[in-house]
Amino acid sequence: MNLAALRELSLANMRELSRNTKTLFLSFVTPFFIAGIYLAVGALSSSGEQGAGDRNAVVPVALFMALGSVSFFGTGVPLVTMRERGTLRLLGTTPAPRWTVLLSLIPARLLMAAVQVAVFLGFGIATDRVNRDSVPLLVLACFAGFVLLGALGLLAGGLLPSSEVAGQTLSFALVILLFISGLTMPLDAVPDGPRAVLETLPTSRFGDLVKSLSTGEPALHPIWSDFAVIAGSSAVLLGIAVWAFRWDQGEKSR
Protein backbone atom coordinates (compact mmCIF):
# COMPACT_ATOMS: atom_id res chain seq x y z
CA MET A 1 0.00 0.00 0.00
CA ASN A 2 1.29 3.47 -0.92
CA LEU A 3 0.67 5.24 2.38
CA ALA A 4 1.97 8.57 1.08
CA ALA A 5 -0.54 8.56 -1.78
CA LEU A 6 -3.33 7.52 0.57
CA ARG A 7 -2.46 10.31 2.99
CA GLU A 8 -2.35 12.98 0.27
CA LEU A 9 -5.62 11.83 -1.26
CA SER A 10 -7.27 11.73 2.18
CA LEU A 11 -6.16 15.31 2.93
CA ALA A 12 -7.38 16.45 -0.49
CA ASN A 13 -10.76 14.85 0.20
CA MET A 14 -10.98 16.59 3.56
CA ARG A 15 -10.30 19.97 1.95
CA GLU A 16 -12.82 19.32 -0.81
CA LEU A 17 -15.47 18.20 1.64
CA SER A 18 -14.93 21.24 3.88
CA ARG A 19 -15.62 23.51 0.89
CA ASN A 20 -18.74 21.64 -0.21
CA THR A 21 -21.40 23.44 1.82
CA LYS A 22 -24.30 21.53 0.25
CA THR A 23 -22.84 18.16 1.19
CA LEU A 24 -22.01 19.33 4.71
CA PHE A 25 -25.51 20.73 5.13
CA LEU A 26 -27.26 17.54 4.04
CA SER A 27 -24.92 15.29 6.01
CA PHE A 28 -25.18 17.25 9.24
CA VAL A 29 -28.61 18.88 9.24
CA THR A 30 -30.76 15.93 8.13
CA PRO A 31 -30.15 13.77 11.26
CA PHE A 32 -30.78 16.71 13.60
CA PHE A 33 -33.95 17.58 11.72
CA ILE A 34 -35.28 14.02 12.03
CA ALA A 35 -34.27 13.88 15.71
CA GLY A 36 -36.11 17.17 16.26
CA ILE A 37 -39.27 15.72 14.74
CA TYR A 38 -39.12 12.74 17.09
CA LEU A 39 -38.54 14.99 20.07
CA ALA A 40 -41.53 17.10 19.05
CA VAL A 41 -43.72 14.02 18.62
CA GLY A 42 -42.64 12.76 22.03
CA ALA A 43 -43.38 16.13 23.63
CA LEU A 44 -46.82 16.40 22.04
CA SER A 45 -47.82 12.82 22.76
CA SER A 46 -49.84 12.16 25.85
CA SER A 47 -48.17 10.16 28.59
CA GLY A 48 -48.31 6.46 27.93
CA GLU A 49 -46.78 3.79 25.80
CA GLN A 50 -46.74 5.80 22.57
CA GLY A 51 -44.99 8.73 24.22
CA ALA A 52 -42.45 6.40 25.78
CA GLY A 53 -41.86 4.71 22.44
CA ASP A 54 -41.21 8.04 20.71
CA ARG A 55 -38.90 9.07 23.52
CA ASN A 56 -36.83 5.90 23.30
CA ALA A 57 -36.65 6.03 19.51
CA VAL A 58 -34.92 9.42 19.27
CA VAL A 59 -31.30 8.35 19.74
CA PRO A 60 -31.28 5.14 17.63
CA VAL A 61 -33.15 6.91 14.81
CA ALA A 62 -30.74 9.85 14.99
CA LEU A 63 -27.73 7.51 14.92
CA PHE A 64 -29.10 5.64 11.90
CA MET A 65 -29.80 8.90 10.06
CA ALA A 66 -26.41 10.37 10.97
CA LEU A 67 -24.47 7.40 9.61
CA GLY A 68 -26.78 7.07 6.61
CA SER A 69 -26.55 10.77 5.72
CA VAL A 70 -22.76 10.77 5.87
CA SER A 71 -22.63 7.60 3.79
CA PHE A 72 -25.22 8.55 1.17
CA PHE A 73 -25.15 12.35 0.92
CA GLY A 74 -21.56 12.74 2.06
CA THR A 75 -20.02 9.83 0.14
CA GLY A 76 -22.23 8.43 -2.65
CA VAL A 77 -23.33 11.74 -4.19
CA PRO A 78 -19.87 13.40 -4.06
CA LEU A 79 -18.32 10.32 -5.68
CA VAL A 80 -20.71 10.63 -8.63
CA THR A 81 -20.00 14.38 -8.78
CA MET A 82 -16.25 13.73 -8.89
CA ARG A 83 -16.81 11.44 -11.86
CA GLU A 84 -18.98 14.01 -13.63
CA ARG A 85 -16.38 16.74 -13.17
CA GLY A 86 -13.58 14.54 -14.46
CA THR A 87 -11.73 14.43 -11.13
CA LEU A 88 -11.73 10.64 -11.08
CA ARG A 89 -10.53 10.58 -14.67
CA LEU A 90 -7.47 12.59 -13.65
CA LEU A 91 -6.87 10.29 -10.67
CA GLY A 92 -7.08 7.37 -13.07
CA THR A 93 -3.92 8.63 -14.80
CA THR A 94 -1.96 8.22 -11.55
CA PRO A 95 -0.57 4.96 -10.15
CA ALA A 96 -3.19 4.97 -7.35
CA PRO A 97 -5.48 1.92 -7.67
CA ARG A 98 -9.24 2.29 -7.32
CA TRP A 99 -9.36 0.83 -3.80
CA THR A 100 -6.86 3.48 -2.63
CA VAL A 101 -9.06 6.24 -4.06
CA LEU A 102 -12.11 4.79 -2.33
CA LEU A 103 -10.22 4.32 0.93
CA SER A 104 -9.10 7.96 0.84
CA LEU A 105 -12.74 9.03 1.11
CA ILE A 106 -13.13 7.39 4.50
CA PRO A 107 -11.15 9.55 7.01
CA ALA A 108 -13.13 12.76 6.41
CA ARG A 109 -16.44 10.89 6.50
CA LEU A 110 -15.44 8.96 9.60
CA LEU A 111 -14.65 12.25 11.35
CA MET A 112 -18.05 13.68 10.38
CA ALA A 113 -19.81 10.56 11.61
CA ALA A 114 -17.82 10.50 14.87
CA VAL A 115 -18.84 14.09 15.68
CA GLN A 116 -22.52 13.35 15.14
CA VAL A 117 -22.41 10.07 17.05
CA ALA A 118 -20.70 11.83 19.96
CA VAL A 119 -23.37 14.56 19.99
CA PHE A 120 -26.30 12.15 19.90
CA LEU A 121 -24.81 9.79 22.48
CA GLY A 122 -23.97 12.74 24.73
CA PHE A 123 -27.55 13.94 24.40
CA GLY A 124 -28.88 10.46 25.09
CA ILE A 125 -26.74 10.06 28.20
CA ALA A 126 -27.63 13.51 29.52
CA THR A 127 -31.36 12.89 29.10
CA ASP A 128 -31.31 9.24 30.26
CA ARG A 129 -32.29 7.99 26.82
CA VAL A 130 -29.20 5.80 26.53
CA ASN A 131 -28.17 2.89 28.70
CA ARG A 132 -24.77 4.10 30.00
CA ASP A 133 -23.42 0.59 30.51
CA SER A 134 -23.88 -0.16 26.81
CA VAL A 135 -22.05 2.92 25.48
CA PRO A 136 -18.76 1.14 24.56
CA LEU A 137 -20.63 -1.57 22.66
CA LEU A 138 -22.92 1.04 21.14
CA VAL A 139 -19.91 2.96 19.81
CA LEU A 140 -18.63 -0.28 18.25
CA ALA A 141 -22.07 -0.86 16.73
CA CYS A 142 -22.02 2.65 15.24
CA PHE A 143 -18.64 1.96 13.67
CA ALA A 144 -20.01 -1.27 12.20
CA GLY A 145 -23.00 0.68 10.88
CA PHE A 146 -20.69 3.29 9.39
CA VAL A 147 -18.84 0.59 7.46
CA LEU A 148 -22.08 -1.04 6.31
CA LEU A 149 -23.84 2.14 5.19
CA GLY A 150 -20.57 3.54 3.85
CA ALA A 151 -20.19 0.47 1.65
CA LEU A 152 -23.72 1.07 0.31
CA GLY A 153 -22.80 4.71 -0.37
CA LEU A 154 -19.63 3.73 -2.23
CA LEU A 155 -21.54 1.15 -4.24
CA ALA A 156 -24.20 3.69 -5.18
CA GLY A 157 -21.48 6.16 -6.12
CA GLY A 158 -20.08 3.63 -8.55
CA LEU A 159 -23.38 2.69 -10.17
CA LEU A 160 -25.56 5.81 -10.35
CA PRO A 161 -25.21 7.82 -13.56
CA SER A 162 -25.44 11.43 -12.34
CA SER A 163 -25.35 13.52 -9.17
CA GLU A 164 -28.99 14.53 -9.66
CA VAL A 165 -30.14 10.93 -9.92
CA ALA A 166 -27.86 9.99 -7.02
CA GLY A 167 -29.30 12.68 -4.76
CA GLN A 168 -32.91 11.68 -5.44
CA THR A 169 -32.28 7.94 -5.31
CA LEU A 170 -30.25 7.99 -2.12
CA SER A 171 -32.69 10.33 -0.36
CA PHE A 172 -35.50 7.88 -1.10
CA ALA A 173 -33.35 4.88 -0.21
CA LEU A 174 -32.35 6.31 3.17
CA VAL A 175 -35.97 6.95 4.15
CA ILE A 176 -36.99 3.44 3.07
CA LEU A 177 -34.07 1.80 4.91
CA LEU A 178 -34.94 3.73 8.08
CA PHE A 179 -38.60 2.78 7.75
CA ILE A 180 -37.94 -0.95 7.33
CA SER A 181 -35.16 -1.10 9.93
CA GLY A 182 -37.62 -1.52 12.79
CA LEU A 183 -36.76 1.85 14.32
CA THR A 184 -39.78 3.83 13.14
CA MET A 185 -42.18 0.93 12.67
CA PRO A 186 -42.12 -2.22 14.81
CA LEU A 187 -41.44 -5.21 12.59
CA ASP A 188 -43.94 -7.15 14.70
CA ALA A 189 -46.65 -5.18 12.87
CA VAL A 190 -45.54 -6.63 9.51
CA PRO A 191 -47.05 -9.92 8.25
CA ASP A 192 -44.92 -13.00 8.91
CA GLY A 193 -43.62 -13.48 5.36
CA PRO A 194 -42.32 -9.94 4.71
CA ARG A 195 -41.18 -9.66 8.32
CA ALA A 196 -38.93 -12.71 7.96
CA VAL A 197 -37.28 -11.04 4.96
CA LEU A 198 -36.94 -7.62 6.58
CA GLU A 199 -35.41 -9.06 9.75
CA THR A 200 -32.58 -10.62 7.73
CA LEU A 201 -31.51 -7.37 6.06
CA PRO A 202 -28.17 -6.06 7.38
CA THR A 203 -29.64 -2.57 7.83
CA SER A 204 -32.43 -4.07 9.96
CA ARG A 205 -29.80 -5.93 11.99
CA PHE A 206 -28.03 -2.61 12.55
CA GLY A 207 -31.32 -0.99 13.59
CA ASP A 208 -31.97 -3.87 15.99
CA LEU A 209 -28.48 -3.48 17.43
CA VAL A 210 -28.55 0.28 18.12
CA LYS A 211 -32.11 0.15 19.44
CA SER A 212 -31.46 -2.66 21.91
CA LEU A 213 -28.13 -1.24 23.09
CA SER A 214 -29.34 2.33 23.50
CA THR A 215 -32.73 1.67 25.08
CA GLY A 216 -32.14 -1.66 26.82
CA GLU A 217 -35.12 -3.21 25.02
CA PRO A 218 -34.84 -6.91 24.10
CA ALA A 219 -33.12 -7.46 20.75
CA LEU A 220 -34.71 -9.54 18.00
CA HIS A 221 -31.42 -11.39 17.51
CA PRO A 222 -28.35 -12.14 19.64
CA ILE A 223 -25.88 -9.26 19.59
CA TRP A 224 -23.11 -11.44 18.18
CA SER A 225 -25.44 -12.48 15.35
CA ASP A 226 -26.19 -8.86 14.43
CA PHE A 227 -22.49 -8.00 14.39
CA ALA A 228 -21.70 -11.08 12.29
CA VAL A 229 -24.35 -10.28 9.67
CA ILE A 230 -23.28 -6.63 9.48
CA ALA A 231 -19.59 -7.55 9.14
CA GLY A 232 -20.20 -10.19 6.49
CA SER A 233 -22.53 -7.97 4.48
CA SER A 234 -20.10 -5.05 4.69
CA ALA A 235 -17.26 -7.18 3.31
CA VAL A 236 -19.39 -8.32 0.37
CA LEU A 237 -20.67 -4.81 -0.37
CA LEU A 238 -17.18 -3.31 -0.20
CA GLY A 239 -15.92 -5.92 -2.65
CA ILE A 240 -18.75 -5.14 -5.06
CA ALA A 241 -18.17 -1.38 -4.61
CA VAL A 242 -14.52 -1.74 -5.66
CA TRP A 243 -15.60 -3.82 -8.67
CA ALA A 244 -18.30 -1.30 -9.65
CA PHE A 245 -15.98 1.73 -9.35
CA ARG A 246 -15.52 3.67 -12.59
CA TRP A 247 -12.99 6.40 -13.38
CA ASP A 248 -15.12 7.87 -16.15
CA GLN A 249 -18.80 8.16 -17.11
CA GLY A 250 -18.50 5.89 -20.12
CA GLU A 251 -16.39 3.22 -18.43
CA LYS A 252 -18.01 -0.12 -17.68
CA SER A 253 -17.70 -1.68 -14.23
CA ARG A 254 -15.16 -4.46 -14.00
Side-chain angles (χ1 to χ4, degrees):
M1 178 186 296
N2 190 332
L3 294 180
L6 178 60
R7 182 176 64 253
E8 291 302 318
L9 285 173
S10 297
L11 291 174
N13 272 297
M14 286 186 180
R15 290 192 293 268
E16 175 64 24
L17 189 60
S18 66
R19 292 192 291 262
N20 194 331
T21 54
K22 181 180 179 180
T23 296
L24 289 175
F25 179 84
L26 287 173
S27 299
F28 272 104
V29 174
T30 303
F32 288 97
F33 176 73
I34 298 299
I37 290 177
Y38 269 80
L39 285 173
V41 169
L44 294 174
S45 298
S46 58
S47 59
E49 293 184 0
Q50 182 61 42
D54 291 334
R55 183 180 189 279
N56 290 338
V58 172
V59 173
V61 166
L63 291 174
F64 191 103
M65 287 299 298
L67 299 172
S69 296
V70 169
S71 300
F72 289 7
F73 304 137
T75 305
V77 176
L79 186 58
V80 177
T81 302
M82 290 170 65
R83 185 177 300 107
E84 285 182 320
R85 292 176 177 174
T87 304
L88 294 182
R89 187 188 310 118
L90 292 176
L91 290 175
T93 63
T94 69
R98 62 183 65 191
W99 58 267
T100 300
V101 174
L102 292 177
L103 193 60
S104 70
L105 298 172
I106 302 304
R109 277 74 184 177
L110 182 58
L111 179 61
M112 290 173 59
V115 170
Q116 294 189 72
V117 168
V119 171
F120 288 126
L121 286 184
F123 168 78
I125 292 172
T127 58
D128 292 327
R129 286 178 166 88
V130 169
N131 181 4
R132 295 169 184 260
D133 295 336
S134 299
V135 168
L137 201 55
L138 187 54
V139 171
L140 181 61
C142 287
F143 178 76
F146 170 79
V147 176
L148 172 66
L149 293 169
L152 286 172
L154 291 174
L155 178 58
L159 296 176
L160 296 174
S162 69
S163 55
E164 182 178 355
V165 171
Q168 295 173 354
T169 301
L170 292 177
S171 296
F172 179 75
L174 183 56
V175 172
I176 293 299
L177 288 177
L178 176 65
F179 185 73
I180 64 175
S181 67
L183 294 176
T184 60
M185 176 190 70
L187 293 181
D188 290 342
V190 180
D192 292 343
R195 182 178 65 192
V197 175
L198 294 180
E199 288 181 352
T200 62
L201 296 177
T203 49
S204 298
R205 291 299 191 105
F206 174 61
D208 181 44
L209 197 56
V210 292
K211 183 177 182 180
S212 62
L213 290 174
S214 61
T215 65
E217 296 181 14
L220 297 177
H221 309 278
I223 290 178
W224 67 265
S225 175
D226 284 336
F227 272 113
V229 170
I230 292 171
S233 301
S234 299
V236 172
L237 288 170
L238 285 171
I240 299 175
V242 173
W243 172 83
F245 178 82
R246 294 171 293 149
W247 298 107
D248 205 345
Q249 289 289 88
E251 181 186 0
K252 293 182 179 179
S253 300
R254 62 179 186 274

